Amino acid sequence: MSSRREVLRTLLGAPLLGQALASGWLAGCGGSGGGDPLARVEGELLGPDLTAGHRLRDGIPVEALRAAPTEHLRLAILGGGPAGLSAAYRASATLSEGVALFELEPVLGGTARSAESAVTPYPWGAHYLPMPMAHNPDLLALLQDMNALEPDPQEGGELRGAEALLVREPESRIFHQGYWERGLYPYAGASADDLAELARFRQKVDEYVRYRDSQGRRAFAIPVALSTTDEQVMALDRLSAAAWLDREGFRSARLRWLVDYACRDDYGLRAEQASAWAMLFYWVARTEEPGEDTVDLLTWPEGNGALVNHMAARAAQRGVRLERGQMAVQVVARDPGAGDASAPVEIIIQDTGTNTLRRVTADRCIVAMPRFVANRVVRGLAERDPQVAERFTYGAWMVANLHVRERPSSRGVGECWDNVLYDSPSLGYVSATHQRGRDHGPGVLTYYWPLATADAAEGRRNLFEADYGTWRDAILSDLRRAHRHLPEELTRLDVFRWGHAMIQPRVGMLASETRRAAAAPLGAVHFAHSDLSGIAIFEEAFYHGVRAADEALAALATPPGALATPPQGA
Amino acid sequence: MADTGTAPGPAPSSLRTPLLFVTVLVVSTSGLVYELLAGAYSSYVLGDSVRQFSTTIGVYLFAMGIGSYLSRYVKRDIGRRFVEVELGAALVGGGSVPLLQLGAAYTDAFAILLYGTIIAIGTLVGLEIPLLMRILKEELEFDELVARVLTFDYIGALFGSILFAIVFVPSLGLMRTSLFFGLLNCGVAAMGVTLLSGLIAPAVRTRLRVSAFFLALGLGITFAYADRIIDYTEQALYPNPIVHAQQSRYQRIVMTRGMRGTQLFLDGNLQFSSNDEYRYHEALVHPAFAATQRHERVLILGGGDGLAVREVLKYPDVREVVLVDLDPAMTRLAREDAFLRELNGDSLGDPRVRVINDDAMVWLDERARAGGQGEGTQSTPFDVLIVDFPDPNNFSLGKLYTRSFYRILQTAMSDASAVVVQSTSPLYARQSFWCIEATMREAGLVTHAFHATVPSFGEWGYVLARRVPFEPPGEPLLAGLRFLDGPTLASLFVFGPDMAAVPVETNRLNNQMLVRYYEREWSRVE
């Protein structure tokens, strides 16, 4: 057992903890006496349903497997996160009957889930979507379906993000040396060398933005599947972002901080662990033309909750049954060539409330779960891809939502949408009320903290070792540097612990044959999840959801038996 | 300060050398802090922190070179010169922020003052280390001396930079930080007199101690009264004496009074001057009333001073006025301040007027969302809408001039309603003015721009708009106005070539073009 102080040191690092202790503020908290200034702050510790997940390990009673099927589905979708909902959204456009989606949690949305309080809706996970480029028509069509696009008269009527959804200026600020500055790069006090390196880094990015391979593919594209596979670019996956910076002679501490920040922000990894491919992807895939800024960002008060909620509502409206609290505990794919009378897929589902089991059969099944879960649920999958267990690692994240009476005062630039702290283990926070234009009064700050340790399991241990009080102290120790009066403004602080939040594009993962092979169907079972891209962003989940749905739909449209190998979706 | 009154004489040699190294540490720490202070303060006043920091650091380092070079001309009395240099650094460095603050308020030559100060401090700091090394060369071998002095010098630099950001600026602020380090320099000077007593003649020692004492006293008093100095400099921003100043949650509200009436400033920007505000408010309200038939329900966004309401209440057919102003401190002042009440005719106390303190955009948005279920007047459109926000000089205000805002505004309008938007100066901020007009058009409104001369502001602009095509009004509906009659009103819609429309981009939430136009254009005027 570690003491709270030791856990805090692990989370914050010694200098930050020292600073928090020196300020005398930490000492007053969490004490047994009545002097705790945070005693009035409400809050709870949240997380995905782990007890249900752990039951997977316990095995399934034999009688459940022999029971008569309760129903037969044309398409079963297992998992109600962004990938599963994308599959349901896509499939329901052509298939209106016999489609059901089963989600283990009581809420849909996975890591894009959101919540709402009297103040505002707010995200519990992903919170924005870069405006898709023309090479991603399916995602553009989703946005159009959501009324999230509008023609821009200034751009000759070209479709752009709707004004109310594009991140409102001022977009971001950074806390550095006691002051908030505009933007994400701390310019104040930067040396000429720092600035020259920043400019050179942008040139490097622009070189990749300009790049096209012989087939006209970009070096880095969203979705990842549209990126070039040329060796020259793929070689970047064999070294870490930090090694790439070394190789290219980037030494500026500020630039290296920015790169490290980007790796933690998108992948929950340090620059030493993330591959250089993934790091460059962060900038290049979001820049349309060399010399341009990155594309516009679309956001909603509830973050990407708006995307998953829309897809869920649309799918339900088109006849898909969305069942929550229903955990798929076993999936058995029959060999489609075997020609026996039984259905191609058998699924055992457990009601997480009553623990009762039922047996469902389906013509096709889309497993939209992270691979480490799918490996336990789908019979024969772990054996088919034995390398997956080692290649696919998942990072742990802590996300907190802080309800404040009034925006905490700050020195320098006032509150922006994205508020980042230099030299912090956290990524800073996003203001949920920003997009609605409420700049004063009560607000909700969504604060992100990836456990970016060298070893993913260690990060997970740190995540769960810290209890509510420890997380609260860690969060406030970090934020109090920038907002001295934050504790007085705080009314509620909720902490969400994501044990397996995101797939990690460590060195070698993206370019690996293991990753590419993992997406192949197993009999009549198709796979959809952002982890198949190696990059946990909504666009990748959506891509795989759509791809898997298209694969399943094509197979359903073909007479049984005629299909030796299901077609690969575009 | 450090003078303990003990008999002068060389300190025990075992302590003397370490104490001199402490001196090196303090000297280099405070040198670095002065440099950071100058950089930070100049970025506040002049903006562009990258340029300010880089030029400050460059000039400062160069000045240190001058100081080092000059040290060769100090041939005799090294001890005394060292203490004098310390006192000089205490005076110029310690007084630098108060000096720069006064300079920003009272002079037009802030840059000259800034670089003069930086060069002076840099030169003095550049003198310190060479002199100290020469003093210490008697005690140590050359290689040992250089190693140790430079080590302490760089440790001091680290101290300075870390303490500056983490401890001093957050807890003391810029002004007190500069004074505090001035005091430290005084302390080093006083200690130096004692440590180097062997090198300084007794009479000179006394003189130096007295100088150090008075300098420390001066810096100490300034340290204690730093807040008063800030008040004093705020006055310097205004031409007339401040009669009321308060910091609300949202802005600084200042009223001043002079020969030509009373003025209200929000965050330093003039909102009205009592001698000519009638021209501004008549032009704001009466053309909009003349552009529509019904005047039962009036919405005023901004305008917490109650002066627009005063004009609105002149119409007998007005039955309800809703005024939405963000700042309760402003509307309270308009209701309670005797002078303001007299000027606005106690308009906010009228039973027809309802005051709502909220962000106008959020209020309109929530009203529109609730519109479906709203009862009675909740969802009824307004007949006349008057949009009277402060100029778009920051992003929070800039959002109230975006296409999104004008779209939401139309949810409170019918085809019969008219809206007027105060739109800054078409003469001084021509692109800004036409940007507002173009943005309203892009949001679907039909517009007629007009302008009026308000001596305190200069040439001022407005945009009148409806959801359907309409003719600009011919004459005001009320007789007996001070500024507007028929021919005058018609003339307001005519723009001379120096104010005519220019091509502009429209203002969106995600680009806030207007704030950029506005900053650029007004920085040219001021």
Side-chain angles (χ1 to χ4, degrees):
Chain A
M1 259 320 260
S2 312
S3 73
R4 172 179 284 201
R5 179 73 51 93
E6 282 164 42
V7 180
L8 268 178
R9 181 177 294 114
T10 314
L11 295 174
L12 287 165
L16 233 158
L17 177 64
Q19 213 180 317
L21 289 170
S23 74
W25 170 81
L26 255 186
C29 303
S32 49
D36 186 346
L38 295 173
R40 58 172 177 78
V41 176
E42 295 174 29
E44 54 186 326
L45 194 59
L46 306 162
D49 190 345
L50 294 175
T51 49
H54 288 158
R55 267 185 241 139
L56 278 177
R57 296 172 183 161
D58 302 344
I60 299 148
V62 179
E63 56 271 28
L65 302 174
R66 297 211 180 114
T70 53
E71 70 173 323
H72 178 74
L73 294 165
R74 298 223 68 200
L75 176 63
I77 300 169
L78 310 180
L85 288 170
S86 300
Y89 175 76
R90 176 71 161 201
S92 62
T94 39
L95 195 64
S96 56
E97 276 178 33
V99 187
L101 179 148
F102 302 93
E103 165 59 42
L104 137 78
E105 300 266 332
V107 293
L108 294 169
T111 52
R113 78 179 59 175
S114 59
E116 183 163 2
S117 72
V119 178
T120 173
Y122 52 86
W124 270 123
H127 64 93
Y128 70 91
L129 180 75
M131 179 68 190
M133 294 187 202
H135 60 244
N136 200 351
D138 292 332
L139 190 51
L140 285 167
L142 167 66
L143 292 173
Q144 209 152 11
D145 188 28
M146 294 174 71
N147 284 326
L149 304 180
E150 62 177 323
D152 188 341
Q154 268 176 201
E155 306 280 334
E158 193 186 316
L159 275 183
R160 302 280 297 274
E163 186 182 345
L165 301 179
L166 294 178
V167 170
R168 169 168 80 90
E169 279 284 344
E171 186 174 313
S172 52
R173 59 173 179 167
I174 180 164
F175 182 75
H176 178 240
Q177 293 179 355
Y179 283 88
W180 288 98
E181 280 183 66
R182 196 169 301 301
L184 274 184
Y185 181 88
Y187 279 99
S191 71
D193 284 348
D194 284 328
L195 298 178
E197 285 206 7
L198 180 65
R200 190 158 65 82
F201 181 77
R202 287 185 174 150
Q203 279 169 14
K204 280 276 165 203
V205 168
D206 272 349
E207 282 170 28
Y208 286 110
V209 173
R210 199 174 289 116
Y211 173 98
R212 296 290 182 277
D213 71 6
S214 55
Q215 300 171 47
R217 291 179 300 187
R218 297 171 59 100
F220 304 92
I222 298 176
V224 168
L226 299 186
S227 311
T228 184
T229 46
D230 274 12
E231 173 54 25
Q232 177 199 349
V233 176
M234 291 319 289
L236 290 166
D237 198 49
R238 284 200 293 271
L239 74 168
S240 70
W244 182 86
L245 288 170
D246 291 338
R247 190 184 82 184
E248 301 291 331
F250 289 111
R251 283 180 194 86
S252 158
R254 288 167 197 241
L255 178 71
R256 294 186 77 108
W257 174 84
L258 183 67
V259 168
D260 187 65
Y261 174 80
C263 292
R264 289 186 296 127
D265 186 32
D266 256 24
Y267 312 127
L269 290 172
R270 304 302 302 260
E272 287 74 20
Q273 299 130 21
S275 91
W277 195 100
M279 181 273 287
L280 286 161
F281 174 90
Y282 179 88
W283 277 285
V284 179
R286 291 174 187 179
T287 309
E288 199 131 24
E289 298 291 337
E292 285 184 359
D293 288 337
T294 50
V295 293
D296 294 332
L297 305 180
L298 290 154
T299 192
W300 298 261
E302 66 272 44
N304 290 2
L307 291 163
V308 288
N309 293 344
H310 174 84
M311 292 194 298
R314 191 62 97 216
Q317 184 193 0
R318 291 174 186 156
V320 177
R321 208 171 72 228
L322 303 170
E323 292 199 28
R324 295 145 221 237
Q326 302 298 319
M327 173 170 63
V329 291
Q330 192 168 87
V331 176
V332 182
R334 300 267 175 254
D335 180 359
D340 61 10
S342 61
V345 190
E346 277 189 54
I347 305 156
I348 309 289
I349 290 174
Q350 183 170 35
D351 183 308
T352 57
T354 61
N355 283 343
T356 50
L357 295 161
R358 62 178 152 148
R359 188 163 154 237
V360 172
T361 57
D363 292 331
R364 290 276 148 179
C365 173
I366 293 173
V367 172
M369 310 168 176
R371 193 47 173 255
F372 73 94
V373 180
N375 266 357
R376 281 188 223 137
V377 174
V378 182
R379 190 187 285 173
L381 183 62
E383 293 74 19
R384 185 192 76 175
D385 305 324
Q387 263 90 54
V388 159
E390 193 193 339
R391 269 282 180 225
F392 283 44
T393 62
Y394 297 81
W397 285 62
M398 190 285 301
V399 181
N401 271 296
L402 288 77
H403 279 71
V404 290
R405 267 194 295 249
E406 179 61 58
R407 311 312 155 82
S409 57
S410 31
R411 286 168 183 275
V413 174
E415 185 179 276
C416 292
W417 175 62
D418 190 12
N419 306 273
V420 173
L421 292 90
Y422 192 83
D423 273 346
S424 159
S426 79
L427 300 169
Y429 62 89
V430 170
S431 168
T433 49
H434 179 87
Q435 203 57 16
R436 290 279 286 276
R438 204 177 258 297
D439 297 328
H440 303 281
V444 177
L445 315 177
T446 309
Y447 172 87
Y448 295 88
W449 185 318
L451 284 290
T453 44
D455 169 46
E458 183 195 338
R460 212 154 11 252
R461 269 199 305 281
N462 297 342
L463 172 75
F464 289 111
E465 197 168 30
D467 58 10
Y468 174 81
T470 311
W471 270 119
R472 182 195 68 185
D473 290 354
I475 294 163
L476 293 176
S477 297
D478 182 36
L479 283 176
R480 223 184 137 272
R481 299 182 295 159
H483 302 301
R484 238 149 70 116
H485 301 292
L486 177 64
E488 291 111 84
E489 302 294 353
L490 194 64
T491 54
R492 184 174 180 91
L493 190 160
D494 295 306
V495 173
F496 200 109
R497 297 186 298 187
W498 294 99
H500 292 81
M502 293 178 14
I503 186 75
Q504 298 181 317
R506 289 173 184 265
V507 174
M509 194 276 177
L510 281 149
S512 70
E513 191 45 43
T514 309
R515 178 182 74 81
R516 241 166 286 169
L522 181 70
V525 176
H526 306 267
F527 297 97
H529 197 270
S530 60
D531 59 7
L532 298 171
S533 289
I535 284 183
I537 54 179
F538 177 83
E539 298 93 310
E540 300 299 336
F542 181 77
Y543 166 79
H544 286 288
V546 167
R547 175 194 52 73
D550 287 351
E551 281 175 14
L553 289 172
L556 289 169
T558 314
L563 206 66
T565 44
Q568 297 287 322
Chain B
M1 302 251 355
D3 188 358
T4 54
T6 52
S13 64
S14 62
L15 257 182
R16 184 169 176 266
T17 311
L19 280 176
L20 281 169
F21 281 112
V22 169
T23 306
V24 175
L25 196 73
V26 174
V27 159
S28 68
T29 307
S30 50
L32 199 95
V33 166
Y34 294 144
E35 174 186 346
L36 293 172
L37 281 168
Y41 199 77
S42 61
S43 15
Y44 294 166
V45 176
L46 301 174
D48 193 350
S49 53
V50 177
R51 202 175 70 199
Q52 297 317 327
F53 267 96
S54 61
T55 50
T56 303
I57 290 168
V59 170
Y60 185 85
L61 290 175
F62 176 68
M64 281 179 68
I66 299 177
S68 305
Y69 180 76
L70 291 179
S71 69
R72 73 196 290 257
Y73 295 105
V74 181
K75 300 288 184 205
R76 293 176 295 116
D77 292 332
I78 295 185
R80 172 184 165 185
R81 295 288 173 240
F82 173 75
V83 174
E84 284 171 347
V85 164
E86 270 314 298
L87 290 174
L91 178 66
V92 188
S96 62
V97 173
L99 185 73
L100 291 174
Q101 193 153 50
L102 291 171
Y106 284 112
T107 71
D108 298 323
F110 178 74
I112 296 175
L113 193 68
L114 171 72
Y115 289 108
T117 311
I118 294 170
I119 290 172
I121 301 173
T123 308
L124 290 166
V125 174
L127 274 162
E128 289 171 334
I129 297 292
L131 293 182
L132 255 179
M133 285 173 82
R134 279 160 64 186
I135 291 165
L136 282 161
K137 76 168 186 238
E138 312 299 327
E139 335 260 335
L140 293 163
E141 289 297 321
F142 181 71
D143 49 0
E144 184 66 20
L145 171 69
V146 172
R148 282 225 237 152
V149 168
L150 291 183
T151 304
F152 278 94
D153 187 20
Y154 291 127
I155 291 176
L158 179 70
F159 264 39
S161 56
I162 292 174
L163 292 178
F164 180 75
I166 296 175
V167 179
F168 285 104
V169 174
S171 57
L172 292 181
L174 292 184
M175 188 184 288
R176 286 204 167 106
T177 302
S178 104
L179 293 163
F180 177 80
F181 278 91
L183 285 167
L184 269 187
N185 277 127
C186 272
V188 168
M191 190 168 80
V193 176
T194 307
L195 290 175
L196 307 173
S197 55
L199 299 171
I200 308 172
V204 178
R205 285 208 293 265
T206 313
R207 251 198 344 258
L208 290 173
R209 283 194 174 117
V210 171
S211 311
F213 173 76
F214 279 107
L215 185 53
L217 193 67
L219 292 169
I221 288 170
T222 323
F223 188 91
Y225 288 95
D227 294 338
R228 287 271 185 88
I229 293 173
I230 291 165
D231 279 355
Y232 193 50
T233 54
E234 181 177 16
Q235 177 60 66
L237 296 169
Y238 301 99
N240 293 320
I242 295 175
V243 293
H244 175 92
Q246 83 183 98
Q247 179 67 47
S248 81
R249 244 163 70 181
Y250 308 105
Q251 56 200 344
R252 184 139 187 101
I253 303 172
V254 171
M255 278 169 69
T256 67
R257 195 158 301 149
M259 302 239 298
R260 278 191 273 144
T262 301
Q263 295 82 33
L264 175 77
F265 295 84
L266 298 180
D267 283 339
N269 299 306
L270 179 62
Q271 301 302 301
F272 70 78
S273 180
S274 61
N275 62 319
D276 59 14
E277 58 77 20
Y278 70 94
R279 291 181 73 96
Y280 175 84
H281 288 106
E282 284 189 8
L284 178 71
V285 170
H286 301 297
F289 271 75
T292 179
Q293 308 286 319
R294 282 166 60 99
H295 313 119
E296 278 186 24
R297 302 190 70 229
V298 179
L299 176 67
I300 301 177
L301 304 177
D305 53 25
L307 297 173
V309 182
R310 176 194 67 199
E311 295 299 314
V312 165
L313 293 176
K314 287 180 181 170
Y315 291 86
D317 49 347
V318 168
R319 285 174 45 188
E320 186 188 6
V321 180
V322 177
L323 182 137
V324 184
D325 191 293
L326 179 62
D327 195 348
M330 186 60 239
T331 47
R332 198 179 311 120
L333 193 68
R335 277 179 170 145
E336 291 173 3
D337 180 83
F339 172 81
L340 266 179
R341 270 177 62 178
E342 195 189 324
L343 193 64
N344 65 29
D346 201 10
S347 60
L348 298 190
D350 190 285
R352 285 169 288 175
V353 178
R354 187 155 58 99
V355 174
I356 294 167
N357 292 119
D358 199 350
D359 183 294
M361 190 167 187
V362 175
W363 181 80
L364 279 170
D365 193 31
E366 282 172 3
R367 182 186 175 280
R369 280 165 202 268
Q373 308 106 48
E375 311 161 18
T377 57
Q378 174 73 38
S379 54
T380 323
F382 291 93
D383 303 311
V384 182
L385 299 91
I386 294 164
V387 181
D388 189 17
F389 296 128
D391 274 9
N393 58 20
N394 65 49
F395 291 122
S396 247
L397 288 166
K399 81 179 185 215
L400 302 172
Y401 293 84
T402 53
R403 187 177 62 171
S404 263
F405 177 79
Y406 296 125
R407 283 178 179 162
I408 299 173
L409 186 65
Q410 289 177 65
T411 62
M413 295 172 72
S414 71
D415 284 352
S417 11
V419 59
V420 64
V421 176
Q422 93 78 7
S423 307
T424 192
S425 169
L427 187 62
Y428 305 136
R430 197 167 157 188
Q431 282 181 311
S432 306
F433 176 79
W434 291 107
C435 170
I436 297 170
E437 191 270 344
T439 306
M440 291 172 69
R441 264 190 296 122
E442 198 177 84
L445 290 163
V446 180
T447 61
H448 291 288
F450 65 100
H451 62 100
T453 305
V454 184
S456 309
F457 292 170
E459 197 61 38
W460 214 253
Y462 310 82
V463 181
L464 182 63
R466 290 181 55 173
R467 295 203 326 202
V468 292
F470 68 110
E471 286 297 313
E475 56 182 310
L477 302 174
L478 293 183
L481 299 174
R482 288 171 75 189
F483 169 46
L484 287 182
D485 60 9
T488 317
L489 177 55
S491 74
L492 301 187
F493 289 84
V494 181
F495 281 77
D498 61 347
M499 298 190 290
V502 283
V504 283
E505 283 190 49
T506 53
N507 189 36
R508 316 271 179 83
L509 278 174
N510 60 309
N511 66 14
Q512 297 252 20
M513 273 314 294
L514 179 60
V515 175
R516 297 172 213 276
Y517 284 137
Y518 186 87
E519 275 177 1
R520 203 162 57 214
E521 292 180 317
W522 280 98
S523 66
R524 259 185 261 149
V525 176
E526 279 156 4

